[in-house]
Amino acid sequence: MTDERLVATDLAQVSLRADPRDLPFEQPDPNAMTTWNGRDVLWLGPDEWLVVGEAGSEVSIERELQDALAGHHRSVVDVSSNRVVFDLTDGLDLLATGCGLDLDASRWRPGVCAQTLFGGAQVILHQLDERTTRVFVRPSFAGYFMERLRTSASVTS
Amino acid sequence: MLLIRCPWCGPRDEVEFHYGGQAHIGYPESPDALSDEEWADFLFMRDNPWGPFRERWHHLHGCRRWFNAVRDTSTHRFVVTYRMGEEPPA
Amino acid sequence: MSRRLDAGGSWIDRSKPLLFRFDDQGYEGFEGDTLASALLANGVEGGFTSPILSRPRGVMTAGPEEPNAFVEISEPWFDTIVAATMVELVDGLVAGSRTGVGRLPDPAEVPSVDATHRHVHVETLVVGGGASGRRAAVAAVKRGDRVLLMDERHRVDAPPEDVTVLPRTTVLGVYDDGYVVAHERSATVSCLWHVRASRVVLATGAHERFVAFAGNDRPGVMLASAAATYVERFGVLPGERVGIFTTNDSGIRSAEALRAAGADIAYTLGVGQDLSAAAEDVDLLLISGGWNPNLTLWRSLGGRLRYDEQLSSFLPDGGGPSWLEVVGSADGRGLAASEAFWLEPAGDYSEHFVDLQRDQTVADIAEALDAGLVSVEHVKRVTYIGTAIDQGRTSGVLTAAIVNQLLGAGPEAQGPTGARPPSVPISYATIAGPDRGDLLDPIRRTRIHSWHEEQDAVFEDVGQWKRPRYFPRGGEDIDAAVARECLAVREAAGVLDASTLGKIDVVGPDAAAFLDRMYTKRMSTLPVGSIRYGFMLGLDGMVADDGVAMRLGEDRFLVTTTTGNAAMVLDRFEEWLQTEWPDLRVYCTSVTEQWTDVAVAGPRAREVLAAVGTDIDLAPEAFPFMTFRDGEMAGIPVRIARVSFTGELSYEVLVDGRRGLELWTAVLTAGTPFGIAPYGTEAMHVLRAEKGFVIVGQDTDGTVTPDDLGMSWMVRKDDSDFIGRRSLRRADSVREDRKQLVGLVPDELLPEGAQLVEVNTGQIPMPMIGYVTSSYTSAALGRPIALAMVERGRSRHGETVYAPLPGGTISAEIVPPLFYDPEGTRRDG
């Protein structure tokens, strides 16, 4: 698997927890996403979302969220260093070597996301477009994630 | 590998979950008012039926929500899952 | 002598000859052959040996039900034991006959097969690529299903369109909710498929039935349909002068196929005719005792059987899950009706073989019944019939029928014993797939790991993490390195990568009240800017974790946990919030890896941080113990906490994870003039043990209360509730003979886990009164020390205890668990 297929991407990530009725945007369906002010908002739970923006924008994301939710019980936490992000091209078959989700392209459409396991590592998967899967993984597991992906790739190619 | 229907995420493989024991055992209102025997009963004693059983489950490697289930211990089969806080089905 | 026919063989490609070796002899075959068909084509007679009686055996079947022809493959891949009938011939194949069990070679000897795993979801999985399986697949496609069809042979004729067809794929087991595990194997890849199917269709066919007569195991005895298969598929005539015994029409048809290929059918026998003399006159004796539907997968999910008198065999009879269906000959369709015939009557049954792989005969069954057994399950356990690799494919129905007959019962009285997954042998390498070696379990590394590696740190596993254990310099062994690191921390400054500790952000109007319920100390009374150490107990009152909480604001805390319990603590927080206290307004978020934690400890720690450069006032009056400050260091935003696990002046510098290595490097550079040294987990353990600081999970094991540790001061005195509080009052929790934390000053270094006795009688047993939890050589004291849990330990200070060990007994004096700086004067530097 060439390095072009798996690209580490620097992004701003902010964890948001709040009552969904207080959100400044329509909450996404479970395991789907929405967008807000140019950022992706991934559903992680009924009261938990991951707001993803361009690298370095975590401070403004935090500020905008704090402002929008002022007066409401909320949690806005910068987690930009808590996970590293990889964009994987044409990688669903590879992910299927270690993930029990239905990753068939007919079911796993752009816009869906899910928290799940790849091998022994917790990951968040987000299908960006027809060919690109964005993978969020804890930095400490990144080495394992890449190694397991590469090992599977070298066998199946 | 059981297929477990998380009330939020839908069906997922058993490995994403963690079993949480018998459901609907609330933390006692006044632990101090309980005798050692009554407290031990809360701590350690659980039902163990052959057949449908109300259990707690945790979608540990998914949305991390706790939820409840009725599961048949004699067949392993899940009868129904329902959200934490919802009334158990009859 | 070649038995290859001049023409015919729908599976072989005569334009593609292949070379192979079997038992050190070279042979030729064709692409499309199995190893068995190629051996038969080359006229190899027998070639195999039975495992217990060492009787000569030959190929008996053309499929997975083969009980005799087992081989080891050594080129171009290694397979320890596999039926030759299921090995696809490839160029350069090297195989040898195996008897009984496989062997485990030296890994260096054999080429490894890259094994992988694949998960797939389909609406319909069809097991078996014969006519009925293909029909079921086509019907499923019409319904709009995603369809996967698997067949264990290396070829599926007329594969249907829009169906994913996997030849060379054996279903190993069918499990709950349509989860199916199957092994796809080729010369180069071994792939374990994990299928989740909404519907599973078993088109697993039927096996021809064997019968018992004297000498029915010798080479040249073959199932009739197998011989016909060798003719039709492989263009091989397994014998020229052929006899046949059959209870049914299909046997007649098989014989006809051989006759059409040029064989001389010497005789055809039916029920009641003398079988035993039959084998003398021919070089191939065909047997067809009827047909047994292949229903092991059906039964493994609770499917029941009923005896069918037409077929003299067992058919599915309900009881399976709603998503599982049996079709085709597995359901009895199209099978020839057969008389019920199991064994040829004789005076001596000792050569009437029933299970060839176990060398078990009708005489062995009779012996089991004579001993009083009546159940086929017991007969199986006593004789091992049905427990070999073929798992009773040719012996199961036959055994049950013979038991029934010998007991005078009808053939429907007891059915065959079952089989267990995996349905065929599978190597551990395939089960493991990529998950072995370094990938067996994730190896977790901090952001500073590369620096540790460059320093040739020796690592230890802490859960899944690799943490530096010590940093040897110039050929130091562990003792020298640890002693040096400890002295550096006690006399100058040391720096430790503490990034693995769990960190949780807790925020909300009820955050303080929530933490009050979770910890032994009240966090609601903690001033903003301060830090409090607390125990988290289980409901049973036992210490589960320790950590500190930093109060960031009225409504916000940063809570730390031990490395090993980071996930557990967050999970527990969520459990209580979601299941018991949904009305509490508090949110928890894991930030374990958001922060890198650089711990700087030692009397010169303050100077080191000042040298790095910070806008934080480090003066002791401005920055007291158990408080934290936010600011900048080396131009990087930091949060510095004054906590100490070593007893020395100590700062934990929290910095954004992505800048952790940068800060670490800055600290080491700035600290060089002060004699700074990196230290690892081993030195950390020694330093904290000298101060009597416990490590949860090392000095505790889930059965230890705060009072056992001598740390009742960690438990609040008011009557507000917290998890575990009620249990601290249980009679068992206040037993006066409970084990309590003590220090030990031993004559020699004690092994951790050493059991302690009060009186060393030298006679086993001696009552155990405690055990060693932590043990080190203390550089500061120049002697070994230990921590231990001992019955009534606090009342035993000054007493001597003994650790009886294989190499001799070590004695130790019990002392308070605090060896160094008892007044705590070094804490402020």
Side-chain angles (χ1 to χ4, degrees):
Chain A
M1 184 182 65
T2 65
D3 286 335
E4 286 140 26
R5 269 181 87 185
L6 185 74
V7 175
T9 310
D10 199 25
L11 292 167
Q13 302 170 60
V14 175
S15 165
L16 169 65
R17 302 197 67 175
D19 187 317
R21 295 167 294 187
D22 298 335
L23 295 176
F25 48 82
E26 191 71 40
Q27 57 163 326
D29 285 336
N31 297 305
M33 61 162 286
T34 188
T35 53
W36 169 70
N37 291 359
R39 288 79 170 232
D40 288 344
V41 180
L42 307 183
W43 185 98
L44 298 186
D47 61 4
E48 186 175 10
W49 303 270
L50 186 66
V51 182
V52 183
E54 55 178 42
S57 65
E58 51 266 28
V59 173
S60 38
I61 294 176
E62 282 182 280
R63 193 176 51 241
E64 286 172 48
L65 286 172
Q66 293 284 10
D67 289 346
L69 286 154
H72 298 288
H73 168 40
R74 68 206 178 274
S75 164
V76 177
V77 180
D78 176 16
V79 290
S80 305
S81 294
N82 204 48
R83 290 189 186 90
V84 295
V85 188
F86 295 100
D87 285 348
L88 175 63
T89 305
D90 296 328
L92 293 178
D93 280 352
L94 269 187
L95 289 172
T97 66
C99 177
L101 291 188
D102 191 349
L103 295 175
D104 185 273
S106 67
R107 304 298 195 270
W108 180 258
R109 308 289 316 134
V112 304
C113 60
Q115 295 177 91
T116 185
L117 289 170
F118 175 74
Q122 288 184 347
V123 294
I124 304 174
L125 302 180
H126 174 206
Q127 193 66 15
L128 290 185
D129 56 46
E130 295 291 337
R131 293 182 65 193
T132 319
T133 312
R134 175 162 286 171
V135 183
F136 298 77
V137 62
R138 299 285 179 92
S140 64
F141 284 94
Y144 163 83
F145 170 75
M146 290 190 292
E147 191 55 40
R148 193 163 183 309
L149 212 62
R150 287 203 183 102
T151 301
S152 295
S154 68
V155 171
T156 56
S157 56
Chain B
M1 165 99 75
L2 293 170
L3 191 65
I4 302 179
R5 178 171 299 274
C6 167
W8 299 98
C9 301
R12 294 282 186 96
D13 285 345
E14 185 182 344
V15 290
E16 291 193 4
F17 297 86
H18 175 246
Y19 176 64
Q22 185 170 359
H24 305 302
I25 298 180
Y27 185 70
E29 289 258 346
S30 315
D32 272 349
L34 299 182
S35 68
D36 268 5
E37 285 72 27
E38 289 166 331
W39 180 248
D41 192 81
F42 160 70
L43 266 190
F44 302 123
M45 302 309 289
R46 294 293 180 268
D47 294 334
N48 187 21
W50 174 253
F53 187 42
R54 291 192 189 133
E55 307 176 331
R56 304 185 315 158
W57 282 84
H58 182 206
H59 195 185
L60 176 62
H61 297 302
C63 64
R64 300 186 311 116
R65 294 306 106 186
W66 283 83
F67 59 94
N68 291 321
V70 177
R71 193 178 66 88
D72 190 321
T73 61
S74 67
T75 62
H76 304 309
R77 306 215 45 66
F78 279 82
V79 176
V80 69
T81 58
Y82 51 108
R83 290 180 181 171
M84 193 57 60
E86 282 179 356
E87 274 305 303
Chain C
M1 181 233 322
S2 173
R3 293 203 183 275
R4 185 81 71 181
L5 298 165
D6 290 333
S10 57
W11 279 27
I12 58 169
D13 184 345
R14 293 173 190 263
S15 74
K16 295 187 175 143
L18 306 173
L19 297 177
F20 69 100
R21 298 187 69 78
F22 175 71
D23 280 350
D24 295 318
Q25 283 242 69
Y27 299 96
E28 198 177 274
F30 294 116
E31 185 177 287
D33 263 327
T34 64
L35 176 59
S37 65
L39 287 173
L40 289 171
N42 281 277
V44 172
E45 306 277 346
F48 301 92
T49 312
S50 79
I52 299 168
L53 300 173
S54 298
R55 292 167 68 96
R57 297 273 167 83
V59 173
M60 199 182 99
T61 73
E65 68 272 33
E66 177 59 35
N68 293 334
F70 286 95
V71 299
E72 173 189 289
I73 311 287
S74 47
E75 296 274 354
W77 73 90
F78 182 81
D79 198 335
T80 183
I81 191 158
V82 60
T85 51
M86 300 305 289
V87 175
E88 183 184 357
L89 195 70
V90 296
D91 201 43
L93 187 81
V94 175
S97 57
R98 290 299 301 170
T99 293
V101 295
R103 67 175 181 105
L104 283 180
D106 184 334
E109 256 179 60
V110 298
S112 64
V113 174
D114 288 322
T116 189
H117 288 199
R118 291 189 66 173
H119 293 256
V120 68
H121 288 241
V122 292
E123 282 64 55
T124 296
L125 170 69
V126 178
V127 182
S132 52
R134 298 198 301 268
R135 257 196 312 277
V138 166
V141 166
K142 287 208 174 83
R143 272 199 310 269
D145 288 359
R146 292 175 295 179
V147 183
L148 182 57
L149 183 145
M150 294 177 164
D151 192 284
E152 61 197 347
R153 315 279 178 159
H154 59 260
R155 181 169 152 153
V156 173
D157 291 325
E161 281 182 18
D162 295 323
V163 172
T164 305
V165 175
L166 288 179
R168 308 180 177 86
T169 304
T170 303
V171 170
L172 299 176
V174 181
Y175 305 94
D176 296 290
D177 298 316
Y179 198 77
V180 178
V181 179
H183 183 205
E184 178 190 8
R185 68 223 168 270
S186 72
T188 48
V189 174
S190 185
C191 180
L192 203 62
W193 285 87
H194 299 255
V195 185
R196 182 70 78 178
S198 313
R199 270 180 71 232
V200 177
V201 178
L202 298 178
T204 41
H207 293 311
E208 198 163 29
R209 188 157 56 231
F210 194 44
V211 299
F213 59 93
N216 61 344
D217 70 316
R218 76 193 76 170
V221 174
M222 189 177 277
L223 292 178
S225 61
T229 297
Y230 284 116
V231 168
E232 284 157 1
R233 261 186 209 165
F234 303 106
V236 174
L237 188 61
E240 299 210 328
R241 186 161 163 75
V242 179
I244 173 158
F245 167 82
T246 182
T247 63
N248 64 87
D249 288 344
S250 79
I252 307 289
R253 286 195 293 276
S254 297
E256 183 51 32
L258 266 73
R259 199 194 56 72
D264 168 28
I265 307 297
Y267 52 77
T268 302
L269 298 179
V271 172
Q273 296 180 278
D274 185 8
L275 257 183
S276 30
E280 306 303 323
D281 199 23
V282 294
D283 57 12
L284 181 68
L285 175 58
L286 304 183
I287 305 292
S288 181
W291 290 85
N292 296 327
N294 193 358
L295 294 169
T296 51
L297 295 176
W298 166 252
R299 295 179 70 196
S300 71
L301 285 156
R304 292 185 298 261
L305 301 179
R306 66 171 173 82
Y307 183 75
D308 183 276
E309 293 196 347
Q310 286 278 320
L311 300 176
S312 303
S313 186
F314 292 86
L315 291 179
D317 189 35
S322 55
W323 47 265
L324 187 66
E325 191 188 333
V326 182
V327 301
S329 49
D331 195 30
R333 305 203 187 278
L335 290 181
S338 166
E339 272 190 71
F341 178 82
W342 321 114
L343 60 84
E344 186 178 41
D348 175 5
Y349 286 118
S350 63
E351 286 200 344
H352 283 51
F353 282 87
V354 173
D355 186 327
L356 297 173
Q357 265 216 288
R358 289 298 189 207
D359 273 338
Q360 293 293 294
T361 65
V362 174
D364 295 305
I365 295 177
E367 191 180 328
L369 298 179
D370 282 345
L373 300 178
V374 298
S375 161
V376 283
E377 296 289 350
H378 291 151
V379 169
K380 172 182 178 179
R381 270 68 180 180
V382 154
T383 62
Y384 295 119
I385 288 175
T387 63
I389 295 175
D390 65 335
Q391 291 205 73
R393 283 178 178 83
T394 49
S395 60
V397 171
L398 185 60
T399 302
I402 291 173
V403 167
N404 289 332
Q405 183 172 320
L406 294 182
L407 290 177
E412 72 291 339
Q414 294 190 71
T417 57
R420 299 206 181 98
S423 57
V424 295
I426 179 170
S427 70
Y428 279 106
T430 300
I431 295 172
D435 299 323
R436 56 184 184 173
D438 279 350
L439 292 177
L440 175 65
D441 196 34
I443 292 174
R444 298 179 70 178
R445 303 169 178 89
T446 72
R447 285 182 162 92
I448 306 179
H449 189 89
S450 57
W451 189 94
H452 300 320
E453 276 192 327
E454 278 161 34
Q455 298 298 309
D456 297 321
V458 173
F459 291 90
E460 73 160 341
D461 293 333
V462 182
Q464 294 172 321
W465 292 94
K466 290 285 185 198
R467 297 191 71 183
R469 192 171 182 203
Y470 57 98
F471 294 85
R473 286 184 187 165
E476 281 175 326
D477 66 6
I478 179 174
D479 295 327
V482 172
R484 175 182 52 74
E485 290 173 18
C486 286
L487 286 176
V489 173
R490 290 278 181 234
E491 293 171 3
V495 59
L496 173 87
D497 178 3
S499 303
T500 60
L501 267 60
K503 304 162 203 67
I504 303 171
D505 185 283
V506 182
V507 65
D510 298 323
F514 169 65
L515 292 176
D516 278 358
R517 298 184 192 185
M518 300 306 296
Y519 284 91
T520 53
K521 285 251 183 98
R522 296 196 77 146
M523 299 308 181
S524 55
T525 56
L526 186 64
V528 174
S530 287
I531 304 173
R532 185 160 289 163
Y533 177 51
F535 276 149
M536 192 171 87
L537 307 184
L539 273 171
D540 59 2
M542 305 300 154
V543 174
D545 198 56
D546 66 350
V548 297
M550 302 180 208
R551 192 165 201 164
L552 308 179
E554 253 330 284
D555 291 352
R556 196 161 184 207
F557 296 79
L558 180 63
V559 174
T560 71
T561 79
T562 61
T563 295
N565 284 329
M568 182 278 281
V569 172
L570 179 60
D571 288 343
R572 192 164 293 194
F573 283 1
E574 286 289 339
E575 180 185 353
W576 282 95
L577 287 171
Q578 291 182 35
T579 68
E580 280 293 338
W581 307 320
D583 296 332
L584 280 188
R585 290 160 306 159
V586 51
Y587 290 121
C588 302
T589 305
S590 167
V591 288
T592 296
E593 301 195 42
Q594 174 66 16
W595 303 92
T596 293
D597 186 341
V598 178
V600 184
R604 310 202 74 177
R606 186 178 292 119
E607 294 168 78
V608 170
L609 295 187
V612 178
T614 175
D615 60 354
I616 295 171
D617 187 348
L618 300 171
E621 324 77 54
F623 194 168
F625 184 59
M626 297 301 271
T627 65
F628 66 92
R629 298 285 179 266
D630 289 351
E632 263 196 11
M633 179 166 287
I636 308 170
V638 294
R639 168 168 297 149
I640 308 184
R642 265 200 70 188
V643 290
S644 179
F645 199 42
T646 57
E648 300 299 321
L649 173 67
S650 171
Y651 300 87
E652 290 195 12
V653 183
L654 296 172
V655 62
D656 184 296
R658 287 169 292 182
R659 305 196 71 178
L661 183 57
E662 191 187 332
L663 185 85
W664 173 273
T665 315
V667 166
L668 272 153
T669 306
T672 307
F674 303 97
I676 198 168
Y679 68 103
T681 54
E682 193 66 23
M684 175 195 72
H685 280 212
V686 178
L687 294 166
R688 63 89 203 179
E690 290 170 344
K691 294 293 295 177
F693 295 152
V694 299
I695 290 183
V696 174
Q698 166 129 2
D699 304 299
T700 73
D701 62 0
T703 69
V704 174
T705 66
D707 185 73
D708 292 339
L709 297 173
M711 294 174 77
S712 289
W713 52 267
M714 283 281 272
V715 182
R716 74 187 73 159
K717 296 297 175 281
D718 66 50
D719 59 8
S720 56
D721 197 22
F722 56 88
I723 305 295
R725 176 172 175 274
R726 174 62 184 83
S727 290
L728 295 178
R729 272 205 295 119
R730 292 179 69 231
D732 189 66
S733 306
V734 300
R735 250 188 315 116
E736 49 143 29
D737 62 345
R738 286 185 71 84
K739 293 192 179 62
Q740 298 172 334
L741 184 73
V742 297
L744 294 178
V745 179
D747 290 348
E748 298 165 44
L749 189 64
L750 286 161
E752 287 173 359
Q755 305 287 289
L756 301 169
V757 300
E758 200 167 11
V759 182
N760 187 23
T761 64
Q763 311 273 30
I764 292 169
M766 291 176 265
M768 178 273 272
I769 60 163
Y771 49 89
V772 174
T773 60
S774 299
S775 173
Y776 313 100
T777 301
S778 163
L781 291 122
R783 58 164 310 130
I785 60 170
L787 296 173
M789 295 297 290
V790 174
E791 262 175 38
R792 304 173 217 268
R794 287 198 288 276
S795 60
R796 291 180 186 269
H797 295 169
E799 289 180 23
T800 302
V801 284
Y802 305 90
L805 294 159
T809 300
I810 297 178
S811 46
E813 184 190 349
I814 298 179
V815 297
L818 175 50
F819 302 91
Y820 181 79
D821 181 34
E823 308 300 310
T825 59
R826 300 187 61 82
R827 196 194 67 192
D828 292 322

